Structures are given as structure tokens and as C-alpha cells.
Amino acid sequence: MKKLLFPVTLLAMTLLFGGCLVTPVAKTGGPGAITIMNTNPTAIISAAQNIFPNYGYTPGPVSYPDSISFDKPAGGFDKALYGSYGVSTSLRVRITMLQLQGTNNYRVSTRVLRVSDAGEVGFESSQKMLGLWSGQFGPLLKQVNAQAANAGQGY
């Protein structure tokens, strides 16, 4: 039985990692990720800056042209779960933009972080949340897509 376990495990690992290496970029990004056709980073950032404040998010750090972030103060449940006395806790959604090679299309995905003391230089610390948290931003990214698609190459 033990002699059979090793080859089966090896086969499973090969199939798992082999599948990861052949996934097209247009299908990557995790839960809620989308592809915005014929656009540019400026149009995506502008659309996100129009949409995310409507849901209680304020602009956060920007790394043009790769990503933009938005912060939202943690709610009561999040404060109880992750907070600490005298330390402010926020949730930060980082929107990353990856240009698909040879096109004006961008793969846009989100990553959620828990941030303590957001915006306080020297005291801010962040921790990545599970990828499942990113799925909730799919509808917002679809709104970004509606505004940013077909904006063209830009400057």
C-alpha cells in the first residue's frame, strides 16, 4: 500500500502544478477578477475613483500604473475580530492591473488587506486576507469595466 501512495501523490502533484502553468493570463486573478477590453490604466483608475467612494471607500496608496488602493474603516465585527485597544483598523482593497501581452486589454483583480493604523507613517501595518475576501468586489469591478472599457490606449 505504501509503495502505491508515492506514485499516486507524485501524479496528483504533477497534474496540479501542470494545470497552473498552462492557465491563460486572461483567466487568472482569483475570485471576482475581470478583463477590461481596450483600455488603459488611467481610465481604470478614474473609473475606480468614481465607483468605490459610493460604497464607503476612501482613496489609499497608488502605485501607477500597476495598482490603486481604497480604504474603509472596519465595521464592528471586524474590530472585534482583528482590532486592538487604541489601534484603528481598516480594510484595504488593492486593485491591480496587468496588461495582457500584445493587447490594450487589462486583467484587473483585487486583494484585501487588514490594516492597523492606516496612514500613520511608521506605525501602519497590514496583513493579507484570504483570497475569498476578493470575491465580494466582483460587482464593483463590473461597474469599473462598464466605465473604463473601450477608452483606448490612452497617452
Side-chain angles (χ1 to χ4, degrees):
M1 184 69 173
K2 289 184 179 181
K3 290 182 180 183
L4 181 62
L5 186 59
F6 180 72
V8 170
T9 304
L10 185 61
L11 177 64
M13 297 288 283
T14 303
L15 291 174
L16 176 70
F17 290 121
C20 293
L21 296 174
V22 296
T23 303
V25 172
K27 303 275 187 210
T28 61
I34 61 168
T35 300
I36 301 179
M37 309 299 276
N38 189 28
T39 191
N40 60 72
T42 303
I44 296 169
I45 289 171
S46 177
Q49 288 174 334
N50 288 335
I51 292 165
F52 275 80
N54 296 334
Y55 295 90
Y57 289 89
T58 56
V62 176
S63 176
Y64 188 86
D66 300 320
S67 70
I68 183 171
S69 300
F70 293 93
D71 293 345
K72 184 177 188 177
F77 182 73
D78 292 324
K79 284 181 185 177
L81 211 60
Y82 306 117
S84 175
Y85 182 75
V87 177
S88 65
T89 303
S90 300
L91 295 179
R92 177 173 292 160
V93 57
R94 180 180 301 140
I95 301 170
T96 57
M97 301 163 281
L98 174 66
Q99 185 173 13
L100 301 179
Q101 189 172 4
T103 69
N104 287 335
N105 304 335
Y106 282 79
R107 189 68 179 160
V108 179
S109 61
T110 58
R111 182 70 185 178
V112 180
L113 301 110
R114 183 186 72 229
V115 182
S116 299
D117 291 324
E120 294 188 30
V121 178
F123 294 99
E124 180 177 299
S125 65
S126 63
Q127 183 177 5
K128 292 180 182 178
M129 303 291 278
L130 290 175
L132 298 173
W133 282 76
S134 296
Q136 66 183 322
F137 296 101
L140 275 67
L141 290 182
K142 287 180 183 175
Q143 292 178 39
V144 171
N145 183 23
Q147 287 187 20
N150 296 316
Q153 186 175 4
Y155 318 17

